[in-house]
Amino acid sequence: MENGFVDCHCHISAHEFEEDFEDVILRTREAGVKTLVAVTEEVGEFARVLQLQESYPDLVAPCFGIHPLQAAEGPQQRSVKPQIGLDFTPWCAPTQQDRDDQVTVFIKQLSIAKELDLPVNIHSRSAARVTIETMKEQGISRALLHNFAGKPSVALEGVKAGYLFSFPPAVCRSKQRDKLIKQIPLEHICLETDSPALGLHQHVRNEPANIILPCRYIADVKGLPPETVRLVTAHNAYRLFPKAKTR
């Protein structure tokens, strides 16, 4: 098993890190993080992530996708086409047509992942059941559902399909997901920060060094040593993202 943390879902290319990027990376390494799965939210970030991979080949593993909610011209926001994942929150998908459009493009994205033999890193807000059902119908066997907040019964359907689930520092804010974490086997759990968002404090910038927080929390909920959670979740991550391990 691996000796360091794997942050399975972070936005290290976000503009929030521009001013003190080197310090963030230093703290990341000091915290024992060995791999950052660098997730994009828009096409404009693709080149930045590739640049970061070139600069930090032993740390940054690119993960390309587009968030379901994208800024349009003016104050409006719209469902994007294309995307990886589903977001059925009312402000993102107010109508059934919006949801149907998301599912249509989601399936197209899943087909690309299958064609390239790549795992998928999934955003599934207020859409856990549909997301898991769609992935199963499309024959997806390797998937991470990040910041998962669905029902335990839905999560267990994903476990049966072989999917993994990751949790960020924000999970420490309340005991709302304790039952969920207890029921998902540790062999199906990964760690993430989703930084700069989903930190311990809602309006404070999160960063990869905070990966220790969900590790400790999950360990506490499951009655395990944090070291065990760190080792097993890293092993799970590299099993799902084998190309990240070779960095």
Side-chain angles (χ1 to χ4, degrees), residues 95-114:
T95 70
Q96 186 60 46
Q97 186 62 53
D98 288 320
R99 296 183 175 201
D100 292 345
D101 288 346
Q102 284 196 22
V103 171
T104 298
V105 181
F106 182 40
I107 290 172
K108 291 180 180 178
Q109 293 285 290
L110 294 177
S111 70
I112 293 172
K114 284 194 296 182

Side-chain angles (χ1 to χ4, degrees), residues 68-233:
L69 190 63
Q70 296 286 301
E73 291 183 10
Q76 294 85 12
Q77 288 186 309
R78 59 180 171 81
S79 269
V80 75
K81 352 210 170 258
Q83 71 211 17
I84 281 281
L86 300 175
D87 195 322
F88 286 176
T89 45
W91 53 89
C92 183
T95 70
Q96 186 60 46
Q97 186 62 53
D98 288 320
R99 296 183 175 201
D100 292 345
D101 288 346
Q102 284 196 22
V103 171
T104 298
V105 181
F106 182 40
I107 290 172
K108 291 180 180 178
Q109 293 285 290
L110 294 177
S111 70
I112 293 172
K114 284 194 296 182
E115 183 181 338
L116 298 176
D117 192 27
L118 292 172
V120 290
N121 200 330
I122 301 292
H123 170 96
S124 60
R125 189 161 60 169
S126 300
R129 185 178 298 278
V130 175
T131 300
I132 289 174
E133 287 177 353
T134 302
M135 290 196 298
K136 287 168 65 176
E137 289 168 1
Q138 298 302 312
I140 297 296
S141 59
R142 294 184 294 151
L144 175 75
L145 289 104
H146 105 93
N147 187 32
F148 190 80
K151 295 179 180 178
S153 60
V154 177
L156 292 178
E157 287 301 311
V159 168
K160 288 178 187 175
Y163 304 153
L164 303 182
F165 301 81
S166 59
F167 300 96
V171 77
C172 307
R173 291 184 205 156
S174 73
K175 298 189 175 295
Q176 186 177 347
R177 282 186 269 185
D178 284 11
K179 183 179 177 182
L180 175 66
I181 291 169
K182 283 179 182 176
Q183 293 200 25
I184 299 176
L186 185 59
E187 290 70 27
H188 288 263
I189 290 178
C190 289
L191 302 177
E192 64 160 293
T193 61
D194 199 29
S195 50
L198 298 186
L200 184 61
H201 303 289
Q202 196 165 0
H203 300 295
V204 177
R205 185 189 71 173
N206 188 19
E207 59 182 68
N210 292 328
I211 195 90
I212 186 65
L213 299 176
C215 178
R216 289 172 178 164
Y217 190 83
I218 290 166
D220 184 55
V221 169
K222 286 189 167 294
L224 296 169
E227 177 77 358
T228 299
V229 173
R230 178 173 64 83
L231 288 170
V232 175
T233 55

